[in-house]
Amino acid sequence: MITAERKKFEEIRRMTDGAGNLLVVGCNTCVAVSLTGGEKEAGLLASQLRLARRKDGIGGSVETVTVLRQCENEYLDSISEQVEKADMVISTACSIGPQGLVFRYPTKAVVPAMNTNMMGYVKEHHVWTEYCVACGFCIIAFTGGICPIARCAKTLLNGPCGGSQGGRCEISPDVPCAWQEIYDRLAALGQLDTLKRILGPKKWNASSSGGPRTMRLEGFKP
Amino acid sequence: MERELTDSISRSSARPVPGDARLRPPCEAACPIHTDAQRYIQLVAENRPADALAVVRETNPLPQVIGRICAHPCEEACRRGGVDEAIAICNLKRVASDGAKAAGMGYEPPQAGLTTGTKVAIIGSGPSALGAAHDLALMGVASVIFEKQPEAGGFLRTGILNYRLPKEILDEDIDYIRRMGVEIRTGAGVGENVKFEDLAEEYDAVLIAVGLSESRSLPIPGVEMPEVLLAVPFLEAVNAGREVPGLGKEIIVIGGGNVAIDVARSAKRVSGGKVTMVCLEADHEMPAHDWEVADARDEGVEIVCSQGPSAIVGAGKVEGLQVKKCESVFDERGRFAPTFCETELSVIPGDTVIISIGQMSNLSFLPENGPAVNERGILIFDREQCTTTRRGVFASGEVVTGPGAAVNALASGKRAAIAVARYLGVDVNFSHEPVAIAGVPAGVAEKVKKAPRRKMPARDAGERLKDFGEVETGLGVVDGRCEASRCLLCGGGARYSQTKCIACLTCVRVCPYGAPWADKDGLGGIDPDKCQACGICFTQCPAKAIDLTVLSEEDIAVRTVAALKDSGGGEVEFGCWYSQSRVAPGAGFVSLPCTSRVSVWLLLNAFEQGAQKVFVSVCSEDDDGHFVHGHRQTRAAVTDAQTALEEAGIDPATIELRMEPELKCKKAGQ
């Protein structure tokens, strides 16, 4: 799940300086599931903005609407009426949301209310951990199903490093050493031999350093 | 002035419960007239007795009567019985009517407008007849009740004694129906001074609701003696305050039903002597309700079980009742088929015998050309359509259903009213039977905060025997609210929108009772049998896919605006109706079932609506309160709202969490 955390209110409020009517657009998929940008949170942000603007004597309305996914044209089209009435749109989606809104509504001011942080696994209620950085070429078949790119602080392919102490990473005692986990897991599976295999250099050409990636599928097209 | 009913606690429309619109609290499903007990109980908990009475009146034309003498099958069905003890539903109905009366509200009948131009003759004036007349009036159909006794009420008046049902209470309920436009002609005995055929001719329809007005006797030697009395005339005489000829000081009552109990308890009062009940059944088999038996025993009535009367003995006057041992009352199929040991005889000494073994109807007024009776003299009757063999003649109540509780007769009368109205061309349908929500699962029951059922206060047994004054004195406001707050709000909790649900699992994770669930495809639901209506899932759902059936977010927002208007000074308190406590008496009050359902948005919304100061109350320092983790959620919401206010440049101290113990705890000295 993509997780995003809401920016500090003051930062959001400053972005809206000078704007009259505001529209807070929630996103009811990833950021709703990760409890920060769904319909409820969009409503709270709108309420908070109304209170702050009233206190500061700023006019203009603050409305709110939530779509199922801000990363799809059709859903963004469905709120065109509300968007047209607003002077500025505030998105509580991951950064795809506001960019999608910009693409769909090129003349409209759009600002993000969120800092997008990761693709996470829900360890427990209210706790997410990064398990994937979308490097474009998955190698976890060789690492016991544990990704060293996402979970090792140094992105090592041949860990652990000297900073691994008692199974923890030197960056924080709260962070487990991914390579220790890989080793323990392969040992448990009786597959430590896997670590002796010589692998070629990891393909990085599908990662994010080569400009924006596009995925296209073949097959039926409408 | 009646208070305006604004929200889901007050609205009359039936509330849906997840999954099945017919799924309703078991109290309502078990009630023969399907009274929405949950709704009026919550209104009692909120100290809104007049609104509660209005809810009772939606289905119950005799609220004060039924609030005293009901056999309350609702309580047998109450899901709280699976936690500790059932809610005292019947007593709470009385709290509603007593409270409304004290406030001078709820006793002005609607002016129905008898607009259909049709008129029905109703024979009899018991609960079935009154129920039918009341509902017909609501449907715009006029009716005239014909009662042979000098006063209306049927068995409610002649058979039930003042100590259980004071006459003035019965009068008030009947008067309400009369003021709806129902005409009641007393001293008008059909078959005596009124001809059935005239009614059939003069009226658009006739409803026979004559009940079971005659006592059955026993074919045993000695019944002809003057000191042998029958239950119905005996009760009639006592009720009318007449002397009962032949009544001695050592009275034997034959029978083990509720009427026999009434006979015994009245005989005790009238004679001041010894009263012994003799019945066929063993103690646990007695047809009388346990609580009635207990009341009779409290008053010194002796009960001799498993004995069948074989002869009334005495030379010229009653000296005793000869009985034989009853070995079994029912056969293997549960039918009444008593067997006796003919050699095990004994004599119970006494100077009076009152036979109270059952009643029958008197249909001698029926003409030759019908309606027809069967070979046993019972009216031929269609249970679904309430019709007899003669077109335009209907029947209801015990004359067709056999003996039962007053509320069953009422239900029968109400059903007949619909049948009659349809016959007269009124567009009305029989309503669907509700289906009860399943019992509280054991794992949930153990998490529900236990609270003892409030006992109905009663006059001391020695004191109450001296007169016919009402025995039970009513729960009163504080105990009534405490009792009402025990109600589990069955089906009143979370309802979720499948369309809006994003299958995020938040509700599954936060519910303390395990009510929400989801499958591998993200399809799920919230089990109404587990849901306790704490509201925690509602406050946490990120997609706003969950709302509460009783007091939704919108309802609470509406209450917030009303409370602000009430206060005038921009102060509002979100408090719990269960605790009966206020932390900010000057503030407008948003009454909720525990503040666990206060969301951050509801708090911010209060400020948006103009609040300058918001109080939120909890009734204890612990995490739970009325619900598991209830106070934890209240505190989290307050903290989050304070942070949001501070970020918006508003002093966070304008939201204040205060603790005030529950009034009932304080009362108990805790």
Side-chain angles (χ1 to χ4, degrees), chain A:
Chain A
M1 193 60 61
I2 296 170
T3 67
E5 282 177 276
R6 208 191 79 179
K7 290 175 177 291
K8 290 261 180 277
F9 180 76
E10 185 50 29
E11 186 186 345
I12 300 170
R13 208 192 53 72
R14 273 204 314 270
M15 292 184 220
T16 66
D17 279 350
N21 296 337
L22 304 180
L23 177 67
V24 180
V25 183
C27 181
N28 252 354
T29 302
C30 308
V31 292
V33 174
S34 51
L35 308 178
T36 52
E39 182 169 334
K40 181 180 83 150
E41 301 301 326
L44 286 175
L45 176 58
S47 179
Q48 221 178 341
L49 282 166
R50 283 192 292 267
L51 288 169
R53 283 158 71 100
R54 187 172 73 188
K55 183 173 176 294
D56 296 342
I58 299 170
S61 64
V62 183
E63 301 293 326
T64 179
V65 65
T66 296
V67 295
L68 184 63
R69 288 193 290 280
Q70 291 186 22
C71 50
E72 313 253 15
N73 287 332
E74 291 86 341
Y75 290 123
L76 295 180
D77 287 347
S78 71
I79 57 167
S80 60
E81 226 169 275
Q82 291 101 315
V83 172
E84 293 309 335
K85 280 186 202 147
D87 299 309
M88 177 181 275
V89 177
I90 304 165
S91 166
T92 68
C94 73
S95 181
I96 304 173
Q99 295 184 59
L101 282 158
V102 165
F103 174 73
R104 212 62 199 161
Y105 299 101
T107 59
K108 195 62 66 180
V110 179
V111 295
M114 314 294 281
N115 293 319
T116 309
N117 46 24
M118 60 169 163
M119 287 183 278
Y121 177 74
V122 186
K123 275 277 178 79
E124 58 187 91
H125 188 56
H126 281 177
V127 179
W128 293 262
T129 306
E130 184 164 30
Y131 271 7
C132 177
V133 293
C135 72
F137 188 80
C138 193
I139 58 161
I140 67 170
F142 310 107
T143 57
I146 291 164
C147 177
I149 312 293
R151 295 163 73 174
C152 168
K154 289 177 175 168
T155 324
L156 289 179
L157 286 166
N158 55 348
C161 72
S164 173
Q165 296 293 322
R168 317 306 290 179
C169 176
E170 65 184 334
I171 62 161
S172 162
D174 296 333
V175 177
C177 169
W179 275 103
Q180 181 71 48
E181 289 185 305
I182 291 167
Y183 183 88
D184 292 344
R185 162 99 172 140
L186 290 173
L189 293 172
Q191 295 174 2
L192 280 174
D193 283 356
T194 313
L195 292 176
K196 293 181 182 164
R197 286 175 60 182
I198 306 293
L199 302 175
K202 173 166 164 34
K203 291 177 183 169
W204 287 105
N205 54 349
S207 82
S208 62
S209 49
R213 291 170 281 181
T214 300
M215 184 174 94
R216 288 182 202 279
L217 296 179
E218 297 305 317
F220 173 77
K221 288 204 168 49

Side-chain angles (χ1 to χ4, degrees), chain B residues 265-287:
Chain B
R265 291 177 71 186
S266 345
K268 190 84 190 166
R269 283 169 171 76
V270 181
S271 72
K274 180 173 162 38
V275 176
T276 308
M277 283 178 68
V278 180
C279 64
L280 293 177
E281 296 87 357
D283 203 326
H284 66 277
E285 294 172 325
M286 282 178 70

Side-chain angles (χ1 to χ4, degrees), chain B residues 486-540:
Chain B
R486 298 177 62 244
C487 172
L488 295 180
L489 210 56
C490 305
R495 70 184 137 97
Y496 96 111
S497 152
Q498 201 167 24
T499 335
K500 294 198 76 179
C501 175
I502 57 167
C504 69
L505 299 168
T506 300
C507 54
V508 176
R509 289 174 185 144
V510 300
C511 174
Y513 304 102
W517 56 274
D519 69 9
K520 70 170 179 53
D521 299 316
L523 287 173
I526 300 174
D527 289 339
D529 58 332
K530 293 181 185 150
C531 178
Q532 299 298 304
C534 67
I536 292 177
C537 61
F538 150 74
T539 66
Q540 301 297 311

